[in-house]
């Protein structure tokens, strides 16, 4: 199987800077704009790898943050690999105890939103041995202090509920490099928080090529495609997250959605206006309704005027329920057919294994370890 995909190194000067410093984000934004242009004109040159941890059902924050964008890329003709990162939840006992169920929920969510298994590959990295084997040479290419400095790792460690940091958690970014590079993905859609991980992947690819490539590149240096999606807050006004119980899942029923929105935090001003800086909760509700309606939050606010928070919540509930109705219907339909779910996953795993085996064979040849 030919796993070679064109690299983006020739994507123009705008596509070359490394986003690590304070200016990194704006450099990454400029590069993302240039990449969007290339995707429109030549989607076939890109292979995207992205993924999620199987921690439960996906919610609207995930949907408007990244999921929506994956389907958009797929439908533009970009080749899509979606990893269900089962080895990244082993340290969370509650999740790990129900792993199979969580994995199936994710597959259901993917199918419901329109990830098409005929065109895109959904797989669990635990089922792809050669992917995991890449981690060993990759580990040899990074130092402990580099991992120590990684802000995403620091953040994850700070938010983990563990008393001690496991070696696995500490090395997540290296494993993530294996997730990305096993299929030679050259484009990774990320939120800003994941930029340091991607930077490390680029570093590993570069060091591997320098050390073993003998003048040719075994791995591409993947580009980040920064999401322009605005941040949706949960119903309590903090970041939307399952563990905070403030998230509307894609699978929530119409009534659950109504109840969650009804309980959402707002403020005491009757006139509804979009002002994220001073009215974050009201503005996030407006944003949610606007995303569902395909309009601007200002327009939604103008409609409601001085009708107050109850009117706002009614609009939000109706917009979300209407928008999600076809997704929920598809989810329910796929949920009836567990055999199909498992087939999607085992076919995806098989495809991923073929790609990973080919890459590992190249890596072993480059390292001169074919015995
Ligand atoms: N760490 C990512 C998350 O928490 C999931 C993930 C695992 C991932 N491997 C990846 C994302 C590779 C992008 C690329 O959501």
């Amino acid at each position: 199987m030919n796993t070679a995909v064109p690299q983006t190194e020739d994507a123009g000067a705008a596509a070359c800077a490394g986003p690590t410093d304070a200016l990194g984000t704006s450099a990454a934004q400029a590069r993302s704009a240039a990449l969007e242009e290339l995707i429109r004109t030549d989607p076939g040159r890109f292979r995207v790898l992205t993924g999620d941890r199987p921690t439960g059902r996906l919610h609207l924050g995930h949907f408007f943050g990244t999921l929506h964008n994956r389907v958009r890329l797929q439908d533009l003709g970009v080749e899509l690999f979606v990893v269900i990162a089962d080895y990244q939840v082993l340290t969370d006992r509650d999740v790990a105890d129900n792993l199979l169920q969580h994995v199936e929920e994710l597959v259901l969510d993917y199918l419901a939103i329109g990830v098409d298994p005929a065109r895109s590959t959904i797989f669990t990295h635990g089922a792809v041995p050669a992917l995991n084997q890449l981690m060993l040479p990759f580990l040899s290419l990074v130092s402990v202090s580099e991992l120590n400095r990684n802000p995403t790792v620091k953040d994850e460690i700070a938010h983990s509920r563990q008393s001690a940091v496991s070696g696995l958690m500490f090395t997540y970014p290296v494993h993530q490099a294996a997730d990305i590079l096993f299929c030679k993905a050259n484009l990774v859609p990320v939120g800003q928080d994941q930029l340091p991980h991607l930077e490390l992947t680029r570093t590993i690819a570069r060091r591997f090529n320098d050390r073993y490539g003998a003048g040719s590149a075994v791995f591409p240096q993947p580009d980040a495609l920064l999401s322009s999606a605005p941040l949706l807050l949960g119903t309590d006004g903090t970041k939307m997250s399952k563990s905070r119980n403030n998230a509307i899942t894609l699978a929530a029923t119409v009534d659950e959605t109504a109840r969650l929105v009804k309980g959402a935090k707002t403020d005491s001003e009757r006139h509804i206006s979009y002002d994220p800086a001073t009215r974050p909760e009201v503005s996030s509700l407006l944003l949610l309704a606007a995303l569902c309606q395909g309009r601007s939050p200002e327009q939604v606010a103008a409609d409601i005027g001085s009708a107050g928070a109850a009117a706002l919540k009614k609009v939000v509930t109706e917009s979300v329920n209407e928008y999600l109705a076809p997704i929920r219907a598809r989810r329910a339909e796929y949920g009836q057919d567990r055999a199909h779910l498992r087939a999607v996953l085992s076919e995806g795993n098989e495809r991923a294994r073929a790609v990973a085996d080919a890459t590992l064979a190249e890596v072993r040849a480059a390292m001169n370890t074919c015995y």
Side-chain angles (χ1 to χ4, degrees):
M1 182 163 186
N2 180 14
T3 58
V5 289
Q7 300 194 19
T8 53
E9 253 103 21
D10 61 344
C16 291
T20 40
D21 52 16
L23 294 172
T25 302
S26 60
Q29 268 159 359
R31 192 158 77 254
S32 293
L35 287 164
E36 282 292 349
E37 186 57 37
L38 277 170
I39 291 166
R40 269 190 298 278
T41 52
D42 192 6
R45 70 192 290 163
F46 294 103
R47 179 178 275 181
V48 163
L49 180 292
T50 172
D52 304 284
R53 293 179 188 181
T55 54
R57 297 175 165 182
L58 296 171
H59 55 64
L60 284 168
H62 297 123
F63 182 81
F64 287 113
T66 73
L67 302 173
H68 188 57
N69 193 34
R70 291 178 200 173
V71 178
R72 178 185 72 94
L73 291 167
Q74 168 194 272
D75 292 347
L76 281 170
V78 170
E79 192 183 5
L80 180 66
F81 279 72
V82 185
V83 60
I84 297 177
D86 51 349
Y87 281 175
Q88 277 197 11
V89 296
L90 296 181
T91 45
D92 186 332
R93 273 299 290 274
D94 297 342
V95 173
D97 287 349
N98 294 300
L99 209 42
L100 180 61
Q101 186 200 334
H102 289 311
V103 168
E104 287 190 355
E105 293 285 350
L106 269 195
V107 178
L108 263 185
D109 279 331
Y110 294 153
L111 295 177
I113 63 166
V115 175
D116 174 6
R119 287 179 283 168
S120 299
T121 303
I122 299 171
F123 70 102
T124 51
H125 56 194
V128 186
L131 179 159
N132 296 296
Q133 191 171 334
L134 291 177
M135 187 165 172
L136 288 171
F138 288 179
L139 277 169
S140 76
L141 297 169
V142 295
S143 70
V144 169
S145 62
E146 268 174 313
L147 292 174
N148 250 329
R149 280 199 302 270
N150 185 304
T152 314
V153 173
K154 277 192 200 160
D155 195 55
E156 281 175 351
I157 287 171
H159 285 97
S160 76
R161 285 166 287 166
Q162 270 86 51
S163 51
V165 178
S166 73
L168 179 62
M169 180 178 273
F170 188 62
T171 53
Y172 276 166
V174 184
H175 197 234
Q176 207 152 305
D179 290 342
I180 296 169
L181 296 177
F182 95 91
C183 66
K184 304 193 179 184
N186 53 10
L187 197 60
V188 183
V190 288
Q192 270 185 39
D193 60 322
Q194 297 271 320
L195 274 178
H197 273 11
L198 190 67
E199 196 48 33
L200 191 71
T201 298
R202 291 167 58 87
T203 302
I204 288 172
R206 194 174 56 244
R207 287 183 188 160
F208 188 94
N209 293 340
D210 287 349
R211 175 136 180 213
Y212 301 110
S216 70
V218 175
F219 293 112
Q221 282 189 55
D223 272 301
L225 187 66
L226 261 191
S227 156
S228 54
L231 190 67
L232 266 187
L233 301 179
T235 50
D236 60 354
T238 70
K239 186 181 170 196
M240 195 182 281
S241 137
K242 196 188 66 138
S243 56
R244 298 179 199 219
N245 260 329
N246 65 0
I248 302 170
T249 63
L250 299 180
T253 64
V254 165
D255 290 344
E256 282 163 358
T257 304
R259 191 168 39 76
L260 277 163
V261 175
K262 200 164 179 207
K265 201 170 159 196
T266 51
D267 55 39
S268 54
E269 203 180 316
R270 240 191 117 66
H271 184 75
I272 298 302
S273 61
Y274 184 66
D275 190 347
T278 59
R279 306 183 73 184
E281 298 93 354
V282 163
S283 298
S284 186
L285 286 171
L286 284 167
L287 177 64
L288 177 53
L291 288 166
C292 291
Q293 292 179 18
R295 297 163 77 216
S296 75
E298 288 85 356
Q299 284 172 321
V300 178
D303 282 357
I304 300 167
S306 295
L312 168 63
K313 289 181 177 180
K314 185 160 176 286
V315 169
V316 172
T317 302
E318 284 170 4
S319 308
V320 169
N321 281 334
E322 190 176 327
Y323 186 82
L324 288 182
I327 292 176
R328 287 168 171 168
R330 272 198 300 273
R331 201 181 191 285
E333 205 182 305
Y334 285 119
Q336 300 292 318
D337 193 352
R338 298 272 146 184
H340 176 66
L341 277 192
R342 277 194 287 272
V344 165
L345 201 53
S346 73
E347 279 162 32
N349 282 338
E350 195 158 328
R351 235 182 286 161
R353 275 195 293 270
V355 173
D357 287 348
T359 302
L360 182 61
E362 257 186 89
V363 161
R364 294 177 68 205
M367 295 174 69
N368 203 17
T369 55
C370 300
Y371 312 116

